[in-house]
Amino acid sequence: MNVESPFRSSAEKPVRDDPDLPRVSPVVDGLLPRIRAFRRDIHQHPELSLEEHRTTAKILELLNCAGLEPQQMESTGAWVDIGQGPIVLGLRADIDALPLQERTGLDYASVHDGIAHACGHDMHTAVMAGTALSLQQILSGQSVLHTSGLELNGRVRIIFQPAEERLPGGALQVMKAGLLDEVPRILAAHCDPAFDVGTIGTRIGAITSATDTLRITVTGHGGHTSRPQQTEDVVYALSKIASEVPAVLSRLVDVRSAVQVVWGHISAGAAPNAIPSIGQLSGTLRCLDADAWGAAADLLDQVIRQIAAPYGVAVEIDHVRGVPPVVSTEKETDLIEDATRFEIGSRAITLTPQSMGGEDFAWMTQKISGAMFRLGTRTPDGPIYDLHQGDFNPDERALGVGVKIFTAAALRALAGVQ
């Protein structure tokens, strides 16, 4: 097991304010109308994975107008370096939308039927664009902050990543393009409607789950239900696989890795008195430990075939490997938390539960040190929304919170505080 212990109370740690570092709130607050308008434009024109051409163009336009020199990735997505010298920190946002119908009724709701930013990637994109704008103002001396006495050395690389929603994820394209080769550490955030706006959730160790997709096809000689002994009973074999695989797997893998197989679809036949010749079962494998995730593929294949063997059916297994867990390191989590204490306050930080959801930022944290935090988007006492639902409507005040945290974290890295 390599899951790092996450049990730490942020409130127990002292506030490590550095008096030489200015608070960035005045800069960020001045940029908020622009950031909000940018987010609403992205929200109104969502684009699916690897189709984010307009979104990419809008990012490039905004950053170019601020005097930055952003670069486009091979197809969609972009990146920009801010500062001078070696890269000291990477920041990442995902930019794609989901194939869902929006049901918010907002004035700036999606203009594309069946496509919506129901996971908050428009928020992530706007937060990171706002971070780029605020850092540019601060480092170029255009802001109201006094940084002339500070030694801010190095570059911050901000990556606007495509295709997070398409397994195995656009993070692999970022890495293939070499955009992490010079980056020593990286941070990211994800909207979370379980946390009130103005708060964040952090966790050391696995903060998300490894996520795979399973599709099992079972075939055999069907027949009449009055003579099952003359058939290869596809329905019975499917039912045994569906019920026994999760139980058997839990006895073969360390329970602390939280391996979980959950089925979402099962189908076979149509008539009550006919045993069909084909059936299908599909679901997901989720796991909180990278080592257990790596071993699960071979184990699953063996278990499924062994369970089906007594019934004489043929089994075809399509195991689509997804993403490993996002593992947040202690040092990078400290950077996020100290930036939050400095800008927002200690009470803003909460220990987040481990999520069984998948996130392709995990590929980046496998390559270099990194951390992800949950950005609270729930309006206190307001409606309760959920991610990947058409009515998801985050509180836009979270934009300022996210920009302040990332900007403050970047300044701490540039100043060599952490």
Side-chain angles (χ1 to χ4, degrees):
M1 289 291 296
N2 65 356
V3 175
E4 197 174 350
S5 174
F7 297 106
R8 176 186 64 173
S9 172
S10 177
E12 295 174 359
K13 297 189 68 179
V15 178
R16 293 186 285 189
D17 284 358
D18 187 326
D20 293 329
L21 286 172
R23 284 183 168 80
V24 302
S25 293
V27 176
V28 176
D29 290 344
L31 289 168
L32 277 177
R34 193 174 177 187
I35 297 168
R36 188 182 304 111
F38 177 75
R39 180 256 165 171
R40 292 185 178 190
D41 180 72
I42 297 297
H43 182 90
Q44 193 170 30
H45 301 89
E47 296 171 303
L48 297 176
S49 300
L50 302 180
E51 298 175 10
E52 312 98 329
H53 299 288
R54 183 186 183 278
T55 303
T56 299
K58 287 294 181 179
I59 293 168
L60 295 172
E61 177 185 354
L62 181 74
L63 300 184
N64 273 310
C65 288
L68 292 166
E69 298 180 358
Q71 305 294 315
Q72 182 169 341
M73 292 180 59
E74 183 177 356
S75 177
T76 57
W79 58 277
V80 65
D81 286 352
I82 307 173
Q84 301 292 329
I87 299 173
V88 298
L89 182 67
L91 303 175
R92 170 268 196 182
D94 37 15
I95 66 175
D96 55 332
L98 284 163
L100 289 173
Q101 186 66 42
E102 180 164 344
R103 296 182 283 105
T104 63
L106 295 168
D107 292 340
Y108 51 91
S110 172
V111 297
H112 302 308
D113 286 341
I115 306 177
H117 271 295
C119 197
H121 292 187
D122 55 328
M123 296 283 288
H124 304 167
T125 302
V127 163
M128 214 53 78
T131 301
L133 296 181
S134 62
L135 283 173
Q136 169 69 348
Q137 284 197 10
I138 294 168
L139 297 182
S140 65
Q142 301 173 26
S143 75
V144 296
L145 302 185
H146 299 290
T147 59
S148 57
L150 295 176
E151 290 188 16
L152 299 175
N153 301 313
R155 285 179 289 153
V156 176
R157 174 163 292 176
I158 299 181
I159 299 169
F160 297 88
Q161 177 213 301
E164 191 278 330
E165 297 291 354
R166 177 182 291 190
L167 292 178
L172 293 177
Q173 296 182 22
V174 170
M175 294 162 64
K176 184 178 179 181
L179 296 183
L180 294 191
D181 291 351
E182 302 175 74
V183 179
R185 57 205 299 217
I186 194 162
L187 307 179
H190 199 296
C191 288
D192 195 331
F195 289 99
D196 284 350
V197 65
T199 66
I200 69 166
T202 61
R203 190 178 194 90
I204 296 172
I207 192 172
T208 67
S209 167
T211 306
D212 293 355
T213 300
L214 303 172
R215 295 181 181 87
I216 301 168
T217 302
V218 176
T219 56
H221 178 70
H224 202 284
T225 55
S226 64
R227 295 179 292 277
Q229 73 279 5
Q230 296 178 9
T231 71
E232 294 156 347
D233 195 336
V234 163
V235 174
Y236 193 73
L238 274 178
S239 67
K240 296 294 282 185
I241 293 170
S243 61
E244 293 186 14
V245 164
V248 173
L249 201 62
S250 70
R251 297 302 183 271
L252 299 177
V253 181
D254 193 318
V255 67
R256 292 172 296 175
S257 65
V259 171
Q260 183 183 86
V261 174
V262 178
W263 307 111
H265 169 262
I266 185 169
S267 65
N273 60 348
I275 296 175
S277 60
I278 186 170
Q280 294 183 319
L281 178 67
S282 61
T284 58
L285 164 73
R286 301 180 186 273
C287 180
L288 291 176
D289 178 69
D291 291 339
W293 177 66
D298 290 339
L299 276 175
L300 264 176
D301 189 276
Q302 296 172 20
V303 169
I304 291 169
R305 296 187 188 282
Q306 288 172 2
I307 291 172
Y311 312 107
V313 295
V315 179
E316 179 182 340
I317 303 170
D318 181 17
H319 184 170
V320 180
R321 299 295 270 169
V323 294
V326 172
V327 178
S328 291
T329 52
E330 182 170 4
K331 184 177 180 181
E332 281 60 51
T333 303
D334 281 345
L335 178 57
I336 291 168
E337 292 184 351
D338 283 338
T340 303
R341 289 189 188 94
F342 192 71
E343 289 294 333
I344 314 298
S346 294
R347 293 185 179 180
I349 305 169
T350 304
L351 177 67
T352 184
Q354 292 169 294
S355 168
M356 295 306 287
E359 162 63 65
D360 79 342
F361 182 62
W363 295 118
M364 298 186 181
T365 62
Q366 276 202 332
K367 180 178 175 66
I368 60 176
S369 297
M372 170 173 277
F373 68 91
R374 300 292 187 183
L375 178 64
T377 61
R378 182 177 62 194
T379 301
D381 300 322
I384 297 176
Y385 301 106
D386 199 1
L387 297 170
H388 287 225
Q389 297 297 312
D391 64 348
F392 176 60
N393 184 19
D395 191 316
E396 288 187 313
R397 288 177 294 178
L399 293 170
V401 175
V403 175
K404 289 172 186 178
I405 292 171
F406 280 121
T407 303
L411 291 180
R412 295 184 80 85
L414 289 168
V417 176
Q418 288 176 300

